[in-house]
Amino acid sequence: MNMHILKRVMVALALTVAAVSVGSRAEAGQPRIGVLIYRYDDTYISTVRNALSNALEGRANVTMQDGKGDQAAQNDQLDVMIARQVDGLLVNMVDAQAASGVLLKIKNAGIPVVFFNREPDLNVLKTYDKSIFVGTNAADAGKMQGDIIRNLWNNYPEYDLNKDGKFQYVMFQGEPDNPEAIARTEWSVKQAIENGIQMEQIGQTFVCNWDTALAQGAMESALAANEGKIELVIANNDSMAMGAVAALSNVGYNLEGGSKFVPVVGVDATEQAVDAINRGIMSATVKQDGEAMGQALATIILNMVDGKAPLDGTQYEYDESGIAVRIPYSPYEGK
């Protein structure tokens, strides 16, 4: 058997299993919703998909697939979902830059689609009148981090270890070409500067693909070269922030009740990060509301399948693009 055909057969079998495991409680006649996730093991996305599954339970027959960070695999998953004639699609792209080809397949099949979390070019989505985007304004997360940095500087003068009037920081970025990661990296620092804080980066920006282990390794390297000089850690997400905290704790920093502390700021307000903040081993995060996003996605895709206006029954409005919905962020600095 041709290897490509074999691969498609395996994907089809996996989809069948997923449909049974996720949608077996759904009643006959309910809409069939296909959900493509870029990576199940992303902590924030796990929150979104759990909220989405709960919101669709009893209302739709759901098939959900893990792209495992592989756009080619996600393309095959999409092909099989289209062949299964799903009524609606929710797509969390592995590679947002591949959205044009993905959207063309969906448009040719005439299936309503909501892209979410990882933002494609909105001009691409505008080529199909049954597509919208649900996500966040990435710059807002960075700006909130910048405001948190101002609060840390003003409230804890002891964080200026060398008393030079500057915040020496290391930066952890999610992905090199991800627009959300780029915006968070840029605006966290820019907002801090606009708030009157002098910022000075130590070393390179560590691109750690949103991953805890990669961030821990990078932070260990940074500490080996600059221990005692790092005054702040900024991370695009909480997974990387927790990696930095782990590396710091291994050399005696950021321990509960300890005397040595480097402030660490993340994004997502994951359960682990909130616990770390409340225990005093991490400083703050920016809440990206996965529960709200999951519930919004469920309502919007069911509206689209039913031929209703997508935002009927929600509290949201489109932004200036006319096809994007932004779930708001909020800062979390502890109880």
Side-chain angles (χ1 to χ4, degrees):
M1 180 181 292
N2 180 278
M3 288 300 295
H4 187 66
I5 295 174
L6 178 60
K7 183 178 179 182
R8 286 178 175 271
V9 170
M10 292 175 69
V11 170
L13 288 172
L15 279 165
T16 301
V17 171
V20 171
S21 62
V22 178
S24 59
R25 293 187 299 276
E27 298 175 1
Q30 291 181 334
R32 293 164 295 181
I33 305 299
V35 185
L36 298 177
I37 301 294
Y38 99 100
R39 257 178 51 194
Y40 274 14
D41 61 1
D42 181 290
T43 305
Y44 169 70
I45 288 298
S46 294
T47 304
V48 174
R49 64 186 181 88
N50 289 338
L52 175 62
S53 294
N54 290 336
L56 288 175
E57 186 171 0
R59 303 166 69 191
N61 188 334
V62 180
T63 301
M64 191 176 294
Q65 280 289 290
D66 181 2
K68 298 183 179 179
D70 183 339
Q71 186 59 54
Q74 191 173 73
N75 291 343
D76 286 338
Q77 292 165 357
L78 173 64
D79 290 343
V80 177
M81 285 188 179
I82 291 173
R84 288 172 59 87
Q85 298 182 322
V86 295
D87 300 299
L89 283 162
L90 295 165
V91 180
N92 172 219
M93 293 288 299
V94 171
D95 179 1
Q97 296 182 11
S100 180
V102 167
L103 184 68
L104 182 59
K105 290 181 179 181
I106 296 169
K107 180 179 180 180
N108 289 341
I111 301 170
V113 59
V114 180
F115 290 84
F116 68 98
N117 177 249
R118 297 166 74 85
E119 185 170 346
D121 184 341
L122 296 183
N123 289 322
V124 171
L125 299 196
K126 287 179 180 180
T127 63
Y128 181 39
D129 62 1
K130 294 181 181 179
S131 71
I132 69 170
F133 173 73
V134 176
T136 56
N137 186 332
D140 287 348
K143 289 176 181 179
M144 286 187 184
Q145 284 186 311
D147 290 340
I148 289 168
I149 291 166
R150 173 199 58 204
N151 296 342
L152 292 170
W153 181 263
N154 290 338
N155 294 333
Y156 301 96
E158 64 271 23
Y159 289 164
D160 185 9
L161 299 176
N162 60 3
K163 307 304 178 185
D164 68 346
K166 301 176 184 178
F167 230 160
Q168 275 82 25
Y169 70 93
V170 292
M171 175 68 73
F172 290 87
Q173 182 166 312
E175 292 170 325
D177 56 358
N178 181 295
E180 192 158 6
I182 293 168
R184 292 180 187 181
T185 297
E186 175 185 355
W187 279 100
S188 58
V189 177
K190 182 180 290 187
Q191 183 74 5
I193 293 171
E194 290 182 2
N195 284 331
I197 311 303
Q198 294 187 59
M199 304 290 289
E200 183 177 0
Q201 185 169 2
I202 294 177
Q204 64 181 10
T205 295
F206 297 109
V207 177
C208 294
N209 298 322
W210 314 104
D211 186 80
T212 300
L214 290 177
Q216 180 173 346
M219 188 67 192
E220 288 169 351
S221 297
L223 286 166
N226 299 285
E227 184 176 349
K229 300 177 183 178
I230 297 169
E231 300 174 339
L232 172 68
V233 175
I234 309 170
N236 286 175
N237 77 336
D238 285 341
S239 293
M240 293 187 296
M242 292 305 297
V245 169
L248 285 162
S249 69
N250 287 340
V251 291
Y253 291 80
N254 294 47
L255 300 173
E256 286 189 70
S259 60
K260 297 194 298 183
F261 184 80
V262 174
V264 178
V265 180
V267 177
D268 284 341
T270 63
E271 183 178 342
Q272 298 92 328
V274 168
D275 177 65
I277 292 165
N278 293 338
R279 290 192 292 125
I281 63 173
M282 178 174 160
S283 294
T285 186
V286 176
K287 183 177 181 180
Q288 185 173 204
D289 197 338
E291 186 74 26
M293 179 173 285
Q295 293 173 357
L297 290 171
T299 299
I300 290 169
I301 193 60
L302 291 178
N303 281 342
M304 294 173 76
V305 168
D306 289 341
K308 300 177 182 177
L311 304 189
D312 276 3
T314 76
Q315 61 181 323
Y316 302 109
E317 298 177 352
Y318 293 117
D319 69 4
E320 64 278 2
S321 72
I323 61 164
V325 174
R326 306 294 177 178
I327 309 295
Y329 291 103
S330 59
Y332 184 82
E333 299 175 78
K335 293 180 179 178

